[in-house]
Amino acid sequence: MKILLTGSGGVVGSEVAEQLAALGDRAEVTSVTRRPARPGERGWVLGTEPAPAELRGHWDVIIHSAASTRWTMSRDEAVAANVRTTEAVLDLVDADTHLVHISTAYVEGQDPATQGSAAGFGRFRNTYEWSKAESEELVRAKHPGALTIVRPPLVFGRRADGAIARLTGPYAMVQTLVSGLAPALVGNPAGFIELAPVDQVAEVIVAAALGMPPSAPVVETIAAGPAGCLRVTDLAEGICGAVNAWRAERGIAPVPVAPVIPSETWRRFHLPLTARHFSTVQKRALELLSAFEGYACMPTPFHPTQTVVDPADVLARSVRWWADAKSRHARRAPEPWTLIAA
């Protein structure tokens, strides 16, 4: 079986590459990424450069995980990073190729009334979600063969040890809360937050790639769902609790648990009174929390086809792994908020 994996240098792609490598001779895998770092990886900037000649020809399976997950992209950046790259992959498929397309569980968007701060992208929280929705429409409309769409939620570390290839995305929120740079987590205290361990996400992708190609498009949604989904307050308490357990083992004083402030309260009362006094660092921290706010306002959990078991444990192990990797940040005494004189 010939498999092409795009985005093998990313958070999900690197985990998929590792699991595929463990298959040995069961699959002939070619991995491509913007900046090759592992033996056997090929360099290709999808959507900008033509596909290298050696990638032309039939593929039994193409796993398309190349993407930018940055929530603050402009519309043009999102098109270049996520839509054009999908178009480049579609140029390599044929009717006998099983395309496994990595999307996001948030691709269907959310009622703007429940998003918190207005995102300006209709039902989508940001251009990342919008561009992934555009990409799904592309693969459904233009791929002539078997199609599996995998939709993970927020991706954290492995189930066993919390390890992850890159501390990006939600980990910026972890660092901001632990450092005290943000005074609170803004969202719906009773809302839901969906997360998944990166190794489970990769397992779903690899199982789809190795399985029987579906006769009709299949969507795999990875989430805890109604039975096990965390609340937003669980997230704040889980992050600070894991960090404080790590700090206690080293004789370091605990950090306070960040409160969860409803979006409307934050925008109507807290922000107008203090915004003009924020320092540059505080403004940057609030930009990060603002990007996360929509994810902390989910009124209902997802309905998974692949269930995440014990997301609280996944969160705790992931945060401890972050603390080991970023010990200087994890050891810092939180900085209480003070206002800059006008």
Side-chain angles (χ1 to χ4, degrees), residues 44 46-49 51 56 62 64 66 79-93 99 101 131 134-139 142-143:
W44 179 27
L46 282 79
T48 300
E49 304 170 346
R56 299 275 175 191
I62 295 181
H64 179 39
V79 168
N82 295 333
V83 180
R84 298 289 176 255
T85 54
T86 301
E87 291 173 342
V89 167
L90 287 170
D91 192 41
L92 297 179
V93 302
L99 176 59
H101 177 75
S131 64
E134 291 289 308
S135 296
E136 278 202 20
E137 289 185 14
L138 269 176
V139 297
K142 296 190 174 182
H143 178 45

PDB file of all heavy atoms in Angstrom, residues 44 46-49 51 56 62 64 66 79-93 99 101 131 134-139 142-143:
ATOM      1  N   TRP A  44       8.175  20.112   0.430  1.00  0.00           N
ATOM      2  CA  TRP A  44       7.206  20.629  -0.542  1.00  0.00           C
ATOM      3  C   TRP A  44       6.336  21.655   0.150  1.00  0.00           C
ATOM      4  O   TRP A  44       5.682  21.370   1.151  1.00  0.00           O
ATOM      5  CB  TRP A  44       6.350  19.491  -1.113  1.00  0.00           C
ATOM      6  CG  TRP A  44       5.312  19.946  -2.110  1.00  0.00           C
ATOM      7  CD1 TRP A  44       5.354  21.056  -2.910  1.00  0.00           C
ATOM      8  CD2 TRP A  44       4.060  19.302  -2.389  1.00  0.00           C
ATOM      9  NE1 TRP A  44       4.219  21.136  -3.683  1.00  0.00           N
ATOM     10  CE2 TRP A  44       3.409  20.080  -3.392  1.00  0.00           C
ATOM     11  CE3 TRP A  44       3.438  18.149  -1.915  1.00  0.00           C
ATOM     12  CZ2 TRP A  44       2.161  19.729  -3.912  1.00  0.00           C
ATOM     13  CZ3 TRP A  44       2.189  17.799  -2.429  1.00  0.00           C
ATOM     14  CH2 TRP A  44       1.564  18.587  -3.412  1.00  0.00           C
ATOM     15  N   LEU A  46       3.172  23.109  -0.155  1.00  0.00           N
ATOM     16  CA  LEU A  46       1.918  22.878  -0.867  1.00  0.00           C
ATOM     17  C   LEU A  46       1.208  24.195  -1.164  1.00  0.00           C
ATOM     18  O   LEU A  46       1.184  25.103  -0.335  1.00  0.00           O
ATOM     19  CB  LEU A  46       0.981  21.993  -0.036  1.00  0.00           C
ATOM     20  CG  LEU A  46       1.247  20.510  -0.004  1.00  0.00           C
ATOM     21  CD1 LEU A  46       2.382  20.183   0.951  1.00  0.00           C
ATOM     22  CD2 LEU A  46      -0.009  19.746   0.417  1.00  0.00           C
ATOM     23  N   GLY A  47       0.618  24.271  -2.339  1.00  0.00           N
ATOM     24  CA  GLY A  47      -0.145  25.440  -2.712  1.00  0.00           C
ATOM     25  C   GLY A  47       0.691  26.578  -3.240  1.00  0.00           C
ATOM     26  O   GLY A  47       0.158  27.535  -3.805  1.00  0.00           O
ATOM     27  N   THR A  48       1.999  26.496  -3.067  1.00  0.00           N
ATOM     28  CA  THR A  48       2.914  27.540  -3.559  1.00  0.00           C
ATOM     29  C   THR A  48       3.821  27.003  -4.654  1.00  0.00           C
ATOM     30  O   THR A  48       4.064  27.680  -5.654  1.00  0.00           O
ATOM     31  CB  THR A  48       3.773  28.077  -2.390  1.00  0.00           C
ATOM     32  OG1 THR A  48       2.914  28.625  -1.392  1.00  0.00           O
ATOM     33  CG2 THR A  48       4.730  29.154  -2.876  1.00  0.00           C
ATOM     34  N   GLU A  49       4.291  25.777  -4.468  1.00  0.00           N
ATOM     35  CA  GLU A  49       5.184  25.140  -5.426  1.00  0.00           C
ATOM     36  C   GLU A  49       4.461  23.988  -6.122  1.00  0.00           C
ATOM     37  O   GLU A  49       3.591  23.347  -5.523  1.00  0.00           O
ATOM     38  CB  GLU A  49       6.418  24.566  -4.722  1.00  0.00           C
ATOM     39  CG  GLU A  49       7.195  25.567  -3.904  1.00  0.00           C
ATOM     40  CD  GLU A  49       8.258  24.894  -3.047  1.00  0.00           C
ATOM     41  OE1 GLU A  49       8.207  23.650  -2.902  1.00  0.00           O
ATOM     42  OE2 GLU A  49       9.112  25.618  -2.505  1.00  0.00           O
ATOM     43  N   ALA A  51       3.940  20.215  -7.333  1.00  0.00           N
ATOM     44  CA  ALA A  51       4.320  18.970  -6.675  1.00  0.00           C
ATOM     45  C   ALA A  51       5.595  18.422  -7.305  1.00  0.00           C
ATOM     46  O   ALA A  51       5.742  18.430  -8.533  1.00  0.00           O
ATOM     47  CB  ALA A  51       3.208  17.944  -6.807  1.00  0.00           C
ATOM     48  N   ARG A  56       4.147  12.548  -8.345  1.00  0.00           N
ATOM     49  CA  ARG A  56       3.137  12.316  -9.376  1.00  0.00           C
ATOM     50  C   ARG A  56       2.974  10.816  -9.592  1.00  0.00           C
ATOM     51  O   ARG A  56       3.929  10.061  -9.522  1.00  0.00           O
ATOM     52  CB  ARG A  56       3.570  12.984 -10.681  1.00  0.00           C
ATOM     53  CG  ARG A  56       3.739  14.497 -10.577  1.00  0.00           C
ATOM     54  CD  ARG A  56       2.426  15.189 -10.779  1.00  0.00           C
ATOM     55  NE  ARG A  56       2.504  16.633 -10.577  1.00  0.00           N
ATOM     56  CZ  ARG A  56       1.441  17.406 -10.502  1.00  0.00           C
ATOM     57  NH1 ARG A  56       0.239  16.875 -10.590  1.00  0.00           N
ATOM     58  NH2 ARG A  56       1.558  18.709 -10.317  1.00  0.00           N
ATOM     59  N   ILE A  62      -3.937   8.995   0.407  1.00  0.00           N
ATOM     60  CA  ILE A  62      -3.294  10.272   0.738  1.00  0.00           C
ATOM     61  C   ILE A  62      -3.910  10.757   2.047  1.00  0.00           C
ATOM     62  O   ILE A  62      -5.133  10.904   2.155  1.00  0.00           O
ATOM     63  CB  ILE A  62      -3.466  11.331  -0.358  1.00  0.00           C
ATOM     64  CG1 ILE A  62      -2.750  10.899  -1.647  1.00  0.00           C
ATOM     65  CG2 ILE A  62      -2.915  12.683   0.126  1.00  0.00           C
ATOM     66  CD1 ILE A  62      -2.849  11.915  -2.784  1.00  0.00           C
ATOM     67  N   HIS A  64      -4.078  13.876   4.248  1.00  0.00           N
ATOM     68  CA  HIS A  64      -3.799  15.316   4.133  1.00  0.00           C
ATOM     69  C   HIS A  64      -3.946  15.982   5.496  1.00  0.00           C
ATOM     70  O   HIS A  64      -5.048  16.305   5.947  1.00  0.00           O
ATOM     71  CB  HIS A  64      -4.755  15.960   3.119  1.00  0.00           C
ATOM     72  CG  HIS A  64      -4.548  17.430   2.965  1.00  0.00           C
ATOM     73  ND1 HIS A  64      -3.300  18.020   2.960  1.00  0.00           N
ATOM     74  CD2 HIS A  64      -5.448  18.449   2.815  1.00  0.00           C
ATOM     75  CE1 HIS A  64      -3.434  19.329   2.810  1.00  0.00           C
ATOM     76  NE2 HIS A  64      -4.722  19.609   2.725  1.00  0.00           N
ATOM     77  N   ALA A  66      -1.561  18.572   6.313  1.00  0.00           N
ATOM     78  CA  ALA A  66      -0.883  19.875   6.226  1.00  0.00           C
ATOM     79  C   ALA A  66      -1.901  21.000   6.384  1.00  0.00           C
ATOM     80  O   ALA A  66      -2.912  21.040   5.684  1.00  0.00           O
ATOM     81  CB  ALA A  66      -0.160  19.997   4.882  1.00  0.00           C
ATOM     82  N   VAL A  79      -6.641  31.186   3.370  1.00  0.00           N
ATOM     83  CA  VAL A  79      -6.819  30.585   2.036  1.00  0.00           C
ATOM     84  C   VAL A  79      -5.518  29.951   1.575  1.00  0.00           C
ATOM     85  O   VAL A  79      -5.488  28.805   1.100  1.00  0.00           O
ATOM     86  CB  VAL A  79      -7.308  31.640   1.024  1.00  0.00           C
ATOM     87  CG1 VAL A  79      -7.215  31.099  -0.403  1.00  0.00           C
ATOM     88  CG2 VAL A  79      -8.736  32.048   1.334  1.00  0.00           C
ATOM     89  N   ALA A  80      -4.422  30.681   1.708  1.00  0.00           N
ATOM     90  CA  ALA A  80      -3.124  30.161   1.262  1.00  0.00           C
ATOM     91  C   ALA A  80      -2.710  28.925   2.053  1.00  0.00           C
ATOM     92  O   ALA A  80      -2.192  27.953   1.487  1.00  0.00           O
ATOM     93  CB  ALA A  80      -2.064  31.253   1.385  1.00  0.00           C
ATOM     94  N   ALA A  81      -2.950  28.946   3.364  1.00  0.00           N
ATOM     95  CA  ALA A  81      -2.463  27.864   4.224  1.00  0.00           C
ATOM     96  C   ALA A  81      -3.321  26.619   4.164  1.00  0.00           C
ATOM     97  O   ALA A  81      -2.802  25.497   4.271  1.00  0.00           O
ATOM     98  CB  ALA A  81      -2.388  28.362   5.666  1.00  0.00           C
ATOM     99  N   ASN A  82      -4.627  26.784   3.980  1.00  0.00           N
ATOM    100  CA  ASN A  82      -5.517  25.636   4.128  1.00  0.00           C
ATOM    101  C   ASN A  82      -6.334  25.288   2.883  1.00  0.00           C
ATOM    102  O   ASN A  82      -6.618  24.114   2.647  1.00  0.00           O
ATOM    103  CB  ASN A  82      -6.458  25.866   5.312  1.00  0.00           C
ATOM    104  CG  ASN A  82      -5.700  25.928   6.628  1.00  0.00           C
ATOM    105  OD1 ASN A  82      -4.633  25.348   6.766  1.00  0.00           O
ATOM    106  ND2 ASN A  82      -6.230  26.660   7.592  1.00  0.00           N
ATOM    107  N   VAL A  83      -6.722  26.285   2.105  1.00  0.00           N
ATOM    108  CA  VAL A  83      -7.516  25.997   0.901  1.00  0.00           C
ATOM    109  C   VAL A  83      -6.607  25.656  -0.280  1.00  0.00           C
ATOM    110  O   VAL A  83      -6.805  24.635  -0.950  1.00  0.00           O
ATOM    111  CB  VAL A  83      -8.430  27.184   0.557  1.00  0.00           C
ATOM    112  CG1 VAL A  83      -9.253  26.873  -0.703  1.00  0.00           C
ATOM    113  CG2 VAL A  83      -9.358  27.500   1.721  1.00  0.00           C
ATOM    114  N   ARG A  84      -5.597  26.472  -0.513  1.00  0.00           N
ATOM    115  CA  ARG A  84      -4.693  26.194  -1.635  1.00  0.00           C
ATOM    116  C   ARG A  84      -3.948  24.876  -1.437  1.00  0.00           C
ATOM    117  O   ARG A  84      -3.667  24.158  -2.406  1.00  0.00           O
ATOM    118  CB  ARG A  84      -3.708  27.340  -1.805  1.00  0.00           C
ATOM    119  CG  ARG A  84      -4.349  28.670  -2.145  1.00  0.00           C
ATOM    120  CD  ARG A  84      -4.911  28.695  -3.568  1.00  0.00           C
ATOM    121  NE  ARG A  84      -5.597  29.947  -3.823  1.00  0.00           N
ATOM    122  CZ  ARG A  84      -6.916  30.092  -3.860  1.00  0.00           C
ATOM    123  NH1 ARG A  84      -7.712  29.033  -3.684  1.00  0.00           N
ATOM    124  NH2 ARG A  84      -7.481  31.261  -4.071  1.00  0.00           N
ATOM    125  N   THR A  85      -3.610  24.551  -0.210  1.00  0.00           N
ATOM    126  CA  THR A  85      -2.919  23.283   0.047  1.00  0.00           C
ATOM    127  C   THR A  85      -3.825  22.098  -0.270  1.00  0.00           C
ATOM    128  O   THR A  85      -3.374  21.071  -0.800  1.00  0.00           O
ATOM    129  CB  THR A  85      -2.458  23.206   1.506  1.00  0.00           C
ATOM    130  OG1 THR A  85      -3.577  23.430   2.375  1.00  0.00           O
ATOM    131  CG2 THR A  85      -1.380  24.243   1.796  1.00  0.00           C
ATOM    132  N   THR A  86      -5.111  22.228   0.020  1.00  0.00           N
ATOM    133  CA  THR A  86      -6.058  21.164  -0.306  1.00  0.00           C
ATOM    134  C   THR A  86      -6.197  21.022  -1.815  1.00  0.00           C
ATOM    135  O   THR A  86      -6.270  19.903  -2.351  1.00  0.00           O
ATOM    136  CB  THR A  86      -7.422  21.447   0.342  1.00  0.00           C
ATOM    137  OG1 THR A  86      -7.246  21.546   1.763  1.00  0.00           O
ATOM    138  CG2 THR A  86      -8.422  20.344   0.036  1.00  0.00           C
ATOM    139  N   GLU A  87      -6.224  22.139  -2.524  1.00  0.00           N
ATOM    140  CA  GLU A  87      -6.274  22.086  -3.986  1.00  0.00           C
ATOM    141  C   GLU A  87      -5.051  21.358  -4.544  1.00  0.00           C
ATOM    142  O   GLU A  87      -5.161  20.576  -5.504  1.00  0.00           O
ATOM    143  CB  GLU A  87      -6.354  23.502  -4.557  1.00  0.00           C
ATOM    144  CG  GLU A  87      -7.683  24.193  -4.284  1.00  0.00           C
ATOM    145  CD  GLU A  87      -7.694  25.642  -4.712  1.00  0.00           C
ATOM    146  OE1 GLU A  87      -6.598  26.226  -4.899  1.00  0.00           O
ATOM    147  OE2 GLU A  87      -8.789  26.211  -4.854  1.00  0.00           O
ATOM    148  N   ALA A  88      -3.889  21.592  -3.934  1.00  0.00           N
ATOM    149  CA  ALA A  88      -2.668  20.927  -4.398  1.00  0.00           C
ATOM    150  C   ALA A  88      -2.752  19.417  -4.205  1.00  0.00           C
ATOM    151  O   ALA A  88      -2.302  18.640  -5.052  1.00  0.00           O
ATOM    152  CB  ALA A  88      -1.453  21.488  -3.653  1.00  0.00           C
ATOM    153  N   VAL A  89      -3.345  18.983  -3.097  1.00  0.00           N
ATOM    154  CA  VAL A  89      -3.499  17.547  -2.848  1.00  0.00           C
ATOM    155  C   VAL A  89      -4.491  16.938  -3.834  1.00  0.00           C
ATOM    156  O   VAL A  89      -4.287  15.830  -4.350  1.00  0.00           O
ATOM    157  CB  VAL A  89      -3.949  17.308  -1.392  1.00  0.00           C
ATOM    158  CG1 VAL A  89      -4.427  15.876  -1.193  1.00  0.00           C
ATOM    159  CG2 VAL A  89      -2.800  17.614  -0.436  1.00  0.00           C
ATOM    160  N   LEU A  90      -5.569  17.646  -4.112  1.00  0.00           N
ATOM    161  CA  LEU A  90      -6.569  17.138  -5.055  1.00  0.00           C
ATOM    162  C   LEU A  90      -5.983  16.943  -6.446  1.00  0.00           C
ATOM    163  O   LEU A  90      -6.499  16.141  -7.239  1.00  0.00           O
ATOM    164  CB  LEU A  90      -7.768  18.087  -5.108  1.00  0.00           C
ATOM    165  CG  LEU A  90      -8.676  18.055  -3.875  1.00  0.00           C
ATOM    166  CD1 LEU A  90      -9.676  19.194  -3.911  1.00  0.00           C
ATOM    167  CD2 LEU A  90      -9.394  16.717  -3.779  1.00  0.00           C
ATOM    168  N   ASP A  91      -4.908  17.645  -6.751  1.00  0.00           N
ATOM    169  CA  ASP A  91      -4.241  17.480  -8.040  1.00  0.00           C
ATOM    170  C   ASP A  91      -3.486  16.156  -8.123  1.00  0.00           C
ATOM    171  O   ASP A  91      -3.066  15.747  -9.212  1.00  0.00           O
ATOM    172  CB  ASP A  91      -3.276  18.647  -8.265  1.00  0.00           C
ATOM    173  CG  ASP A  91      -2.763  18.726  -9.699  1.00  0.00           C
ATOM    174  OD1 ASP A  91      -3.573  18.513 -10.627  1.00  0.00           O
ATOM    175  OD2 ASP A  91      -1.558  18.979  -9.891  1.00  0.00           O
ATOM    176  N   LEU A  92      -3.310  15.469  -6.976  1.00  0.00           N
ATOM    177  CA  LEU A  92      -2.556  14.214  -6.949  1.00  0.00           C
ATOM    178  C   LEU A  92      -3.444  12.981  -6.816  1.00  0.00           C
ATOM    179  O   LEU A  92      -2.950  11.859  -6.944  1.00  0.00           O
ATOM    180  CB  LEU A  92      -1.560  14.231  -5.775  1.00  0.00           C
ATOM    181  CG  LEU A  92      -0.466  15.291  -5.796  1.00  0.00           C
ATOM    182  CD1 LEU A  92       0.396  15.176  -4.546  1.00  0.00           C
ATOM    183  CD2 LEU A  92       0.388  15.172  -7.050  1.00  0.00           C
ATOM    184  N   VAL A  93      -4.726  13.156  -6.530  1.00  0.00           N
ATOM    185  CA  VAL A  93      -5.592  12.002  -6.322  1.00  0.00           C
ATOM    186  C   VAL A  93      -6.155  11.500  -7.650  1.00  0.00           C
ATOM    187  O   VAL A  93      -6.178  12.213  -8.652  1.00  0.00           O
ATOM    188  CB  VAL A  93      -6.752  12.330  -5.360  1.00  0.00           C
ATOM    189  CG1 VAL A  93      -6.234  12.800  -4.011  1.00  0.00           C
ATOM    190  CG2 VAL A  93      -7.684  13.385  -5.973  1.00  0.00           C
ATOM    191  N   LEU A  99      -8.752   9.278   0.015  1.00  0.00           N
ATOM    192  CA  LEU A  99      -8.290  10.524   0.613  1.00  0.00           C
ATOM    193  C   LEU A  99      -8.769  10.590   2.056  1.00  0.00           C
ATOM    194  O   LEU A  99      -9.971  10.533   2.334  1.00  0.00           O
ATOM    195  CB  LEU A  99      -8.812  11.724  -0.168  1.00  0.00           C
ATOM    196  CG  LEU A  99      -8.478  13.114   0.403  1.00  0.00           C
ATOM    197  CD1 LEU A  99      -6.977  13.333   0.508  1.00  0.00           C
ATOM    198  CD2 LEU A  99      -9.121  14.212  -0.453  1.00  0.00           C
ATOM    199  N   HIS A 101      -8.814  13.127   4.861  1.00  0.00           N
ATOM    200  CA  HIS A 101      -8.673  14.582   4.996  1.00  0.00           C
ATOM    201  C   HIS A 101      -8.852  14.982   6.455  1.00  0.00           C
ATOM    202  O   HIS A 101      -9.878  14.678   7.071  1.00  0.00           O
ATOM    203  CB  HIS A 101      -9.721  15.282   4.128  1.00  0.00           C
ATOM    204  CG  HIS A 101      -9.718  16.765   4.241  1.00  0.00           C
ATOM    205  ND1 HIS A 101      -8.760  17.554   3.660  1.00  0.00           N
ATOM    206  CD2 HIS A 101     -10.565  17.613   4.877  1.00  0.00           C
ATOM    207  CE1 HIS A 101      -9.011  18.823   3.920  1.00  0.00           C
ATOM    208  NE2 HIS A 101     -10.091  18.888   4.666  1.00  0.00           N
ATOM    209  N   SER A 131     -11.729  28.375   6.824  1.00  0.00           N
ATOM    210  CA  SER A 131     -10.918  27.785   5.754  1.00  0.00           C
ATOM    211  C   SER A 131     -11.014  26.262   5.755  1.00  0.00           C
ATOM    212  O   SER A 131     -10.961  25.626   4.696  1.00  0.00           O
ATOM    213  CB  SER A 131      -9.461  28.229   5.874  1.00  0.00           C
ATOM    214  OG  SER A 131      -8.866  27.763   7.071  1.00  0.00           O
ATOM    215  N   GLU A 134     -14.227  25.454   4.024  1.00  0.00           N
ATOM    216  CA  GLU A 134     -14.022  25.585   2.580  1.00  0.00           C
ATOM    217  C   GLU A 134     -13.300  24.357   2.029  1.00  0.00           C
ATOM    218  O   GLU A 134     -13.631  23.851   0.949  1.00  0.00           O
ATOM    219  CB  GLU A 134     -13.208  26.850   2.283  1.00  0.00           C
ATOM    220  CG  GLU A 134     -13.944  28.141   2.547  1.00  0.00           C
ATOM    221  CD  GLU A 134     -15.040  28.401   1.524  1.00  0.00           C
ATOM    222  OE1 GLU A 134     -14.743  28.357   0.315  1.00  0.00           O
ATOM    223  OE2 GLU A 134     -16.192  28.623   1.943  1.00  0.00           O
ATOM    224  N   SER A 135     -12.317  23.870   2.772  1.00  0.00           N
ATOM    225  CA  SER A 135     -11.541  22.711   2.321  1.00  0.00           C
ATOM    226  C   SER A 135     -12.408  21.452   2.281  1.00  0.00           C
ATOM    227  O   SER A 135     -12.283  20.626   1.366  1.00  0.00           O
ATOM    228  CB  SER A 135     -10.340  22.496   3.245  1.00  0.00           C
ATOM    229  OG  SER A 135      -9.452  23.597   3.177  1.00  0.00           O
ATOM    230  N   GLU A 136     -13.285  21.297   3.284  1.00  0.00           N
ATOM    231  CA  GLU A 136     -14.189  20.147   3.260  1.00  0.00           C
ATOM    232  C   GLU A 136     -15.097  20.195   2.037  1.00  0.00           C
ATOM    233  O   GLU A 136     -15.346  19.165   1.387  1.00  0.00           O
ATOM    234  CB  GLU A 136     -15.024  20.089   4.538  1.00  0.00           C
ATOM    235  CG  GLU A 136     -14.326  19.458   5.710  1.00  0.00           C
ATOM    236  CD  GLU A 136     -15.307  18.930   6.758  1.00  0.00           C
ATOM    237  OE1 GLU A 136     -16.490  18.708   6.415  1.00  0.00           O
ATOM    238  OE2 GLU A 136     -14.874  18.737   7.916  1.00  0.00           O
ATOM    239  N   GLU A 137     -15.604  21.369   1.721  1.00  0.00           N
ATOM    240  CA  GLU A 137     -16.453  21.490   0.540  1.00  0.00           C
ATOM    241  C   GLU A 137     -15.684  21.110  -0.723  1.00  0.00           C
ATOM    242  O   GLU A 137     -16.226  20.455  -1.627  1.00  0.00           O
ATOM    243  CB  GLU A 137     -16.998  22.917   0.424  1.00  0.00           C
ATOM    244  CG  GLU A 137     -18.040  23.274   1.471  1.00  0.00           C
ATOM    245  CD  GLU A 137     -18.630  24.651   1.250  1.00  0.00           C
ATOM    246  OE1 GLU A 137     -18.428  25.207   0.146  1.00  0.00           O
ATOM    247  OE2 GLU A 137     -19.283  25.173   2.173  1.00  0.00           O
ATOM    248  N   LEU A 138     -14.417  21.497  -0.784  1.00  0.00           N
ATOM    249  CA  LEU A 138     -13.585  21.167  -1.940  1.00  0.00           C
ATOM    250  C   LEU A 138     -13.425  19.662  -2.111  1.00  0.00           C
ATOM    251  O   LEU A 138     -13.611  19.129  -3.216  1.00  0.00           O
ATOM    252  CB  LEU A 138     -12.198  21.799  -1.782  1.00  0.00           C
ATOM    253  CG  LEU A 138     -11.953  23.178  -2.349  1.00  0.00           C
ATOM    254  CD1 LEU A 138     -10.542  23.643  -1.998  1.00  0.00           C
ATOM    255  CD2 LEU A 138     -12.136  23.171  -3.860  1.00  0.00           C
ATOM    256  N   VAL A 139     -13.046  18.974  -1.042  1.00  0.00           N
ATOM    257  CA  VAL A 139     -12.788  17.536  -1.188  1.00  0.00           C
ATOM    258  C   VAL A 139     -14.077  16.775  -1.478  1.00  0.00           C
ATOM    259  O   VAL A 139     -14.059  15.777  -2.223  1.00  0.00           O
ATOM    260  CB  VAL A 139     -12.064  16.959   0.048  1.00  0.00           C
ATOM    261  CG1 VAL A 139     -10.689  17.609   0.208  1.00  0.00           C
ATOM    262  CG2 VAL A 139     -12.878  17.112   1.327  1.00  0.00           C
ATOM    263  N   LYS A 142     -14.799  17.649  -5.330  1.00  0.00           N
ATOM    264  CA  LYS A 142     -13.840  17.398  -6.405  1.00  0.00           C
ATOM    265  C   LYS A 142     -13.102  16.067  -6.329  1.00  0.00           C
ATOM    266  O   LYS A 142     -12.465  15.670  -7.308  1.00  0.00           O
ATOM    267  CB  LYS A 142     -12.821  18.540  -6.454  1.00  0.00           C
ATOM    268  CG  LYS A 142     -13.454  19.878  -6.818  1.00  0.00           C
ATOM    269  CD  LYS A 142     -12.414  20.933  -7.108  1.00  0.00           C
ATOM    270  CE  LYS A 142     -13.070  22.216  -7.603  1.00  0.00           C
ATOM    271  NZ  LYS A 142     -12.058  23.258  -7.948  1.00  0.00           N
ATOM    272  N   HIS A 143     -13.152  15.382  -5.179  1.00  0.00           N
ATOM    273  CA  HIS A 143     -12.450  14.102  -5.124  1.00  0.00           C
ATOM    274  C   HIS A 143     -13.340  13.000  -5.699  1.00  0.00           C
ATOM    275  O   HIS A 143     -14.445  12.763  -5.201  1.00  0.00           O
ATOM    276  CB  HIS A 143     -12.047  13.747  -3.698  1.00  0.00           C
ATOM    277  CG  HIS A 143     -11.367  12.414  -3.602  1.00  0.00           C
ATOM    278  ND1 HIS A 143     -10.389  12.019  -4.488  1.00  0.00           N
ATOM    279  CD2 HIS A 143     -11.543  11.370  -2.742  1.00  0.00           C
ATOM    280  CE1 HIS A 143      -9.980  10.801  -4.185  1.00  0.00           C
ATOM    281  NE2 HIS A 143     -10.673  10.391  -3.128  1.00  0.00           N
TER     282      HIS A 143
END
